[in-house]
Amino acid sequence: MHVDVDVDVVVVGAGQAGLSSAHHLARAGIGHVVLDHAPRPGGAWQFRWPSLTYGKVHGMHALPGMELTGADPLRPSSEVVSEYFAAYEDRFDLRVRRPVDVTAVREGAGGRLLVESRYQTWSARALINATGTWDRPFWPRHPGQETFRGRQLHTANYPGPQEFAGARVVVVGGGTSAVQHLLEIAEVAAETTWVTRRPPVFRDGDFGEAEGRAAVALVEDRVRRGLPPQSVVSVTGLPLNEAVRRGLASGVLERRPAFDRLTATGVAWADGSRVEADVIVWATGFRPAIDHLAPLRLRERGGGIRLDGTRAVRDERVHLVGYGPSASTIGANRAGGAAVREIHRLLTRTPVGVRTTHDVVRAAGR
């Protein structure tokens, strides 16, 4: 394949993690390009459902060097955050190239990486992968799923509550999105049922710095062992705010265990109980969007990519930001800076055309 562009660093993804990384690269004077597959600025935020207003967003942290101020809490978060990201790109002249779908990252010549898209290829000395999870919604498989005659959809294409007026709705999933869906759907639906694999754990009180560090440490431990990252809620629990308290008191958030199978008209449990449903909403989370990295063989036997900080242990040229412990907005900011510091050391230590440690190990067949 013809290589069109040589560059020091390619950043894949222009959400919080990608923009933070690009900001730090620019400040360090490192040549780079930012590639994003979305049609416009905003990262995954631009695809959020309209009823998720900015006031409902939990823990949106500012990008480095520019605060988000004066946002109307009643406006859709998709609009507020997309406008903020667009303004950020303009202020720091980040020049994101979009829409660009990166199809593969593979080994190139002279210790470089080839970052391939349909129409163009970049040859890079290092890569920052900041692709997040939104493009890989997780759909669990259940017996009878293909026989259900109603509608099935995922959080990734959830339209807001208005389409469920008068319907019987089953929401599957134990995370924050499931709770948000339930609370607003229940206001218009004929009936709602909440199903989770494990009993939900609600967190009362503030989630402070110490709790945050402990949660990140648990996620980081999995990533260091090469295991797939867990969801945030599995570590932190669900925040017990006033809306959730009302949902618990009214019975909307009364949870049922995972069902055994789907039927043509609903869901059924092994004990013979059933719930009739018109719609099933799978609020079952997402997986990291990293399939384009497959040619580099970075995954461990446990299924994840083992990291040391943000650096892939199997390839020092590759950094993952917004993956695992850096998946939060504040974590992405910090990880972007850390990744750039390590890349700066790598580029300084390894002039153009000189093989990296990765190349020497591969050549030795180890």
Side-chain angles (χ1 to χ4, degrees), residues 27-86:
R27 289 189 64 187
I30 298 173
H32 64 280
V33 63
V34 184
L35 310 176
D36 189 42
H37 83 118
R40 56 191 178 275
W45 289 97
Q46 64 193 276
F47 306 114
R48 297 295 202 271
W49 53 99
S51 55
L52 181 63
T53 57
Y54 186 65
K56 295 178 182 177
V57 170
H58 175 67
M60 172 64 194
H61 198 271
L63 285 159
M66 180 177 163
E67 294 292 325
L68 198 174
T69 58
D72 182 352
L74 299 180
R75 288 187 68 202
S77 60
S78 57
E79 296 178 5
V80 172
V81 180
S82 293
E83 290 171 7
Y84 171 54
F85 282 13

Side-chain angles (χ1 to χ4, degrees), residues 81-273:
V81 180
S82 293
E83 290 171 7
Y84 171 54
F85 282 13
Y88 190 86
E89 292 178 17
D90 288 341
R91 174 178 290 190
F92 294 104
D93 196 26
L94 297 183
R95 302 185 185 184
V96 178
R97 302 191 185 191
R98 58 169 62 90
V100 176
D101 283 305
V102 172
T103 55
V105 181
R106 64 182 77 251
E107 192 66 37
R112 301 178 76 96
L113 296 165
L114 294 183
V115 182
E116 299 175 355
S117 72
R118 182 176 179 183
Y119 300 108
Q120 194 169 21
T121 301
W122 289 262
S123 173
R125 299 172 67 192
L127 174 85
I128 294 179
N129 192 80
T131 46
T133 63
W134 188 259
D135 297 318
R136 283 205 63 203
F138 174 62
W139 291 75
R141 299 300 304 167
H142 288 273
Q145 201 157 358
E146 68 285 352
T147 69
F148 178 64
R149 293 199 296 261
R151 182 183 180 191
Q152 298 185 58
L153 67 154
H154 192 277
T155 291
N157 56 352
Y158 173 73
Q162 66 281 351
E163 292 193 20
F164 307 101
R168 299 164 299 178
V169 183
V170 175
V171 177
V172 184
T176 304
S177 294
V179 170
Q180 290 175 343
H181 296 341
L182 275 160
L183 291 177
E184 60 184 27
I185 290 173
E187 296 183 1
V188 299
E191 180 182 301
T192 60
T193 303
W194 186 22
V195 175
T196 71
R197 285 189 301 125
R198 293 183 295 270
V201 176
F202 293 96
R203 185 188 73 244
D204 198 0
D206 294 333
F207 190 74
E209 188 174 337
E211 291 83 359
R213 284 198 301 268
V216 168
L218 289 172
V219 179
E220 192 169 23
D221 177 65
R222 286 184 60 86
V223 171
R224 281 179 174 166
R225 290 186 286 136
L227 299 173
Q230 286 181 313
S231 68
V232 174
V233 167
S234 69
V235 176
T236 65
L238 293 160
L240 190 59
N241 55 33
E242 284 306 310
V244 171
R245 291 181 194 275
R246 289 194 297 270
L248 289 168
S250 68
V252 169
L253 295 181
E254 182 180 341
R255 165 260 182 190
R256 296 193 62 167
F259 45 77
D260 182 59
R261 66 190 186 281
L262 279 74
T263 68
T265 59
V267 297
W269 284 261
D271 64 4
S273 60

Side-chain angles (χ1 to χ4, degrees), residues 275-286:
V275 165
E276 299 295 291
D278 304 300
V279 185
I280 298 175
V281 179
W282 298 95
T284 44
F286 299 80

Side-chain angles (χ1 to χ4, degrees), residues 7-12 25 30 105-115 122-130 293 295-298 305-308 310-321 338-340 342-363:
V7 65
D8 282 334
V9 181
V10 171
V11 179
V12 183
L25 286 167
I30 298 173
V105 181
R106 64 182 77 251
E107 192 66 37
R112 301 178 76 96
L113 296 165
L114 294 183
V115 182
W122 289 262
S123 173
R125 299 172 67 192
L127 174 85
I128 294 179
N129 192 80
L293 301 179
L296 297 178
R297 299 180 180 178
L298 302 178
I305 297 178
R306 188 157 60 101
L307 300 183
D308 182 358
T310 62
R311 174 177 52 82
V313 170
R314 288 181 177 267
D315 194 325
E316 64 182 335
R317 300 166 298 176
V318 178
H319 287 255
L320 277 71
V321 179
V340 170
E342 283 215 29
I343 287 172
H344 184 268
R345 287 193 287 268
L346 172 68
L347 299 185
T348 302
R349 187 181 81 239
T350 313
V352 177
V354 176
R355 296 194 301 174
T356 65
T357 304
H358 167 82
D359 301 314
V360 174
V361 170
R362 174 168 288 192

